[in-house]
Amino acid sequence: MILQQHKIVFAGTMGAGKSAAIQTISEIDVLSTEAKNTDTQRHEKLLTTVGIDYGEITLEDGIKIGLYGLPGQERFDFMWSVICQGAVGCIVLIDHSNADAIKSLEFYINQFKQYGLNLVIGVTHLDEIQHLGLNQYQAWLDEAQINLPLFFIDARKKQDVLLMIEALIAQYEAQLMTPTTATT
Amino acid sequence: MTTTLNIVILGMGLMRLNQLKQYLRTTIPSDIEIRWCNIASSDLHLVVIQDSFLELNNIQKILNKDIPILKIQHDHTHANLDENCFSFPCDDLTALKKWIERTVLLKQVQSSVQQINQPNAVKYFHEMITLDRAIEAPKYLALGKQAYVLIDHKHQVWLTQPILLQDFDCSHLTLHHAALNDVIAIKHQSVSTHSLIQFIWNSAYKNGSDKVFPRDQAYRIHTWPQPIDEQDYRVVLKLAACFSRGATPQQIHLLTQIPLQTIYQFLQACEFTHSLTKIPESESSFNQKTQVSDTTTNRISHFFSKLRRKLGL
């Protein structure tokens, strides 16, 4: 596995759109380890990521930024800390059509908070279900007193993925300007 | 909106006439009834006419300019639908379906709603938020210059055609009560779903600010806005990142060089969506000078500049 110094991590439930989001901005063909999904109770997706999706952006001076999509299943969480080390931040994607969307949000926020990463939440699959309100996510964040960017997005749209990356950068830059959390 | 569309087809042989009727029945939502009319009907919603017939003087006199016209040409070599001209026969009706949605159904929605006498739609949105979570709250249609959205208060969402999202001019809105038929007609189209609060935030932000906030008063936001316009991403998210930590307008102006007027515009939109709280100045995260070395800051800023350039941010 290629571990770049500069990384952006994509995490979230199975079928939430991690692979699609990486594909929208990667300059190389995304390397995926996909296999037949045997966990059909969670999601009806035929193929799912069992390893790590890897995409890449190369800056003008040759510096490469690795785009890592973490496997959706919790049984692979032993890999997460290794990948997340030194990352610019993590984009957590939550599938709105999943009945346990709030539980997933809680799980991923708690997991990734411990790595000290900047986080952005993207809620996907908005069109598939319309009887659940969108305000449940912000209400949960408010109740848990967590102040994070929460966006309603389509992971296949580059514009939406760029929105989340800009939010990660903005958090990082604001962090640099505040003495309490700045790191040297 | 009417649930019946009055359509006339002119200049076709019987076989093509039947095939065209079949095309239209397939592309128009099944709960909308189609009444096949003649050209003398007084309330036509669509005229379908063979291209060569359109130039005839008699036809020109009859046609009302307000009625959408779909011209038909028999040509396999052209695209299915070019402007208002449909090439016949056709295997893929997607383009025709979209044309019907945009030209016929949207026109019906716009002409049938009862407008609320409201000079400033943004003020209305404010009331909607204040009254929110009322289960029986009515749905609204918000009409912009070239587009509309359906506001569903109960589910805190707004629906629009994806293609129109960028074109939506939030500063020229009027609001209307949506009738059940409007809701059905819109939901039949290829709509995308968005957060209502974010729609209202964007409307308020685009409308500008007439309020001056005290420069040394600290504020914190507890909900990040989601800018619709890509051009606003950088400034809006930078302000959101700063104010989510607690800050005064003056501090952020000095640190980021973002004009105070833009900061006020941001704060007013946040106030409008009830996501802004006053906090004591001592709770601002930007009270002391940062301890990060200039070298580190420059290195990271340089890195992010390159990344933004690469991604077109």
Side-chain angles (χ1 to χ4, degrees), chain B residues 10 28 87 105 156 164 231 281:
Chain B
L10 297 171
I28 293 170
S87 294
L105 298 180
Q156 294 283 295
L164 298 173
Q231 289 179 335
E281 207 215 328

Side-chain angles (χ1 to χ4, degrees), chain B residues 77-118:
Chain B
T77 57
H78 283 76
N80 280 344
L81 192 63
D82 186 15
E83 298 263 331
N84 296 330
C85 194
F86 180 65
S87 294
F88 192 87
C90 167
D91 296 327
D92 182 6
L93 296 176
T94 314
L96 178 63
K97 185 170 191 286
K98 284 191 176 160
W99 186 89
I100 297 273
E101 285 173 358
R102 198 177 61 244
T103 316
V104 184
L105 298 180
L106 172 60
K107 194 178 164 73
Q108 291 310 302
V109 167
Q110 286 177 328
S111 62
S112 66
V113 291
Q114 188 186 356
Q115 187 168 342
I116 295 168
N117 185 18
Q118 179 57 50

Side-chain angles (χ1 to χ4, degrees), chain A residues 54-75:
Chain A
Y54 178 75
E56 204 173 85
I57 299 168
T58 306
L59 302 186
E60 61 211 29
D61 54 4
I63 290 177
K64 290 186 189 307
I65 298 172
L67 309 168
Y68 295 87
L70 300 184
Q73 305 94 322
E74 288 153 29
R75 61 180 181 271

Side-chain angles (χ1 to χ4, degrees), chain A residues 24 52 82 140 180:
Chain A
T24 60
I52 290 173
V82 182
W140 182 84
T180 46

Side-chain angles (χ1 to χ4, degrees), chain A residues 6 8 25 27 57-61 63 65 88 118 126-127 130-135 138 142 147-153 157-160 162-163 165-167 169-184, chain B residues 133 155-157 159 162 166 187 191-195 198 220-230 233-234 237-238 241-242 244-245 255-256 285-286 288-293 296-297 300 303-304 306-311 313:
Chain A
H6 302 287
I8 296 174
I25 54 167
E27 287 176 336
I57 299 168
T58 306
L59 302 186
E60 61 211 29
D61 54 4
I63 290 177
I65 298 172
V88 172
N118 287 316
L126 304 178
D127 297 332
Q130 287 183 9
H131 62 265
L132 285 176
L134 297 184
N135 53 351
Q138 190 60 51
D142 290 345
N147 193 334
L148 286 175
L150 168 77
F151 301 129
F152 300 97
I153 60 121
K157 284 188 183 163
K158 187 176 180 183
Q159 191 193 356
D160 286 0
L162 293 182
L163 171 80
I165 291 179
E166 182 61 54
I169 297 174
Q171 280 181 302
Y172 207 109
E173 287 177 334
Q175 204 173 339
L176 285 177
M177 291 190 280
T178 51
T180 46
T181 50
T183 51
T184 51
Chain B
R133 290 157 195 100
H155 298 112
Q156 294 283 295
V157 296
L159 306 166
Q166 291 307 311
K187 286 194 172 178
V191 290
S192 58
T193 310
H194 306 271
S195 156
Q198 297 298 356
R220 180 178 287 131
I221 60 162
H222 58 83
T223 305
W224 281 56
Q226 180 171 349
I228 289 175
D229 193 339
E230 213 170 334
Y233 281 5
R234 192 164 173 182
L237 296 175
K238 186 172 272 196
C242 293
S244 68
R245 291 163 181 271
L255 281 166
T256 63
S285 298
F286 300 88
Q288 298 158 35
K289 191 168 168 21
T290 69
Q291 291 156 0
V292 183
S293 71
T296 307
T297 309
I300 295 171
F303 171 73
F304 285 138
K306 283 183 287 184
L307 179 57
R308 281 189 172 113
R309 264 202 303 280
K310 184 77 197 182
L311 295 174
L313 281 164

Side-chain angles (χ1 to χ4, degrees), chain B residues 149-301:
Chain B
V149 297
L150 175 70
I151 296 172
D152 180 341
H153 217 243
K154 181 177 167 187
H155 298 112
Q156 294 283 295
V157 296
W158 61 287
L159 306 166
T160 187
Q161 292 166 291
I163 198 168
L164 298 173
L165 189 59
Q166 291 307 311
D167 301 335
F168 204 83
D169 183 353
C170 293
S171 61
H172 291 85
L173 287 178
T174 50
L175 278 179
H176 310 264
H177 284 295
L180 181 62
N181 286 333
D182 303 329
V183 178
I184 292 169
I186 289 166
K187 286 194 172 178
H188 270 296
Q189 299 179 36
S190 320
V191 290
S192 58
T193 310
H194 306 271
S195 156
L196 177 60
I197 296 283
Q198 297 298 356
F199 171 63
I200 294 171
W201 189 93
N202 278 280
S203 304
Y205 184 71
K206 287 289 183 192
N207 255 27
S209 172
D210 50 8
K211 182 171 175 179
V212 175
F213 288 77
R215 289 183 184 200
D216 295 325
Q217 169 66 54
Y219 299 94
R220 180 178 287 131
I221 60 162
H222 58 83
T223 305
W224 281 56
Q226 180 171 349
I228 289 175
D229 193 339
E230 213 170 334
Q231 289 179 335
D232 295 329
Y233 281 5
R234 192 164 173 182
V235 166
V236 167
L237 296 175
K238 186 172 272 196
L239 290 173
C242 293
F243 280 104
S244 68
R245 291 163 181 271
T248 70
Q250 181 70 1
Q251 286 167 339
I252 300 310
H253 170 60
L254 293 175
L255 281 166
T256 63
Q257 306 305 312
I258 294 173
L260 276 167
Q261 189 55 38
T262 308
I263 297 175
Y264 297 153
Q265 201 173 326
F266 173 89
L267 291 176
Q268 191 174 31
C270 293
E271 189 173 59
F272 218 80
T273 48
H274 300 304
S275 61
L276 187 71
T277 313
K278 277 185 188 177
I279 55 170
E281 207 215 328
S282 57
E283 287 183 30
S284 162
S285 298
F286 300 88
N287 280 334
Q288 298 158 35
K289 191 168 168 21
T290 69
Q291 291 156 0
V292 183
S293 71
D294 285 346
T295 324
T296 307
T297 309
N298 287 342
R299 185 172 51 80
I300 295 171
S301 299

Side-chain angles (χ1 to χ4, degrees), chain A residues 101-122:
Chain A
I102 289 291
K103 276 188 186 167
S104 302
L105 177 64
E106 184 176 9
F107 171 78
Y108 282 100
I109 296 296
N110 288 336
Q111 285 292 311
F112 286 94
K113 222 166 44 178
Q114 60 183 310
Y115 305 136
L117 284 179
N118 287 316
L119 298 177
V120 170
I121 304 156

